[in-house]
Amino acid sequence: MYEIRTEADFAAAHYLSNYHGKCERLHGHNYAVYAHARGTELDGGGMLIDFGVLKRALKEVCAQLDHTNLNDMDVFDSNPSAERIAQYIFFQVRRKLPAACQGLLYAVDVFETPTSRARYSIEE
């Protein structure tokens, strides 16, 4: 099994509406995002997927979130947890990849801090 990972980042504000504590107030994070792809076959150039292809898709999605209030996006249902953000980024990145590469994306990690991560992944 081969695996690659690329990363991007964005800064955004949010608050958690069904949470009791300091995170129920508007605050921001500098999010780090990792996109993981894996598979058993390499292409003619010896690559699973070109790093640039995966990175470009990830950066495009992160750019749409950068410097926003995530609560303003309907997709998060007014509760943009790190888990929901990871799921959203996963499906948006997959949609931007060439059809032959979409099945290679298997996980997206979203770090709110260097020590706090949420992951969305698909089951094989």
Side-chain angles (χ1 to χ4, degrees):
M1 182 72 66
Y2 300 98
E3 180 177 334
I4 69 164
R5 183 195 88 189
T6 189
E7 59 187 85
D9 57 55
F10 68 97
H14 78 143
Y15 59 89
L16 301 176
S17 54
N18 294 321
Y19 182 84
H20 301 291
K22 65 182 182 178
C23 292
E24 68 185 322
R25 294 187 303 270
L26 183 66
H27 63 283
H29 295 284
N30 292 315
Y31 293 94
V33 183
Y34 296 172
H36 302 264
R38 70 178 173 194
T40 58
E41 302 292 323
L42 301 180
D43 66 14
M47 293 183 285
L48 178 66
I49 178 176
D50 185 325
F51 282 114
V53 170
L54 184 57
K55 185 178 280 192
R56 184 171 32 260
L58 180 60
K59 283 187 171 196
E60 286 175 11
V61 173
C62 288
Q64 295 168 357
L65 301 174
D66 194 38
H67 285 78
T68 66
N69 179 347
L70 298 172
N71 291 77
D72 292 341
M73 296 180 66
D74 291 338
V75 69
F76 297 127
D77 194 27
S78 298
N79 208 9
S81 64
E83 293 86 348
R84 287 182 170 170
I85 297 166
Q87 180 187 38
Y88 172 79
I89 293 172
F90 179 93
F91 286 108
Q92 293 300 309
V93 168
R94 189 167 77 171
R95 194 172 61 82
K96 290 182 175 294
L97 293 174
C101 298
Q102 290 178 356
L104 298 174
L105 183 67
Y106 85 91
V108 166
D109 296 330
V110 171
F111 290 82
E112 285 190 342
T113 71
T115 60
S116 299
R117 175 204 74 161
R119 171 177 276 191
Y120 183 84
S121 63
I122 57 169
E123 294 294 322
E124 291 185 5

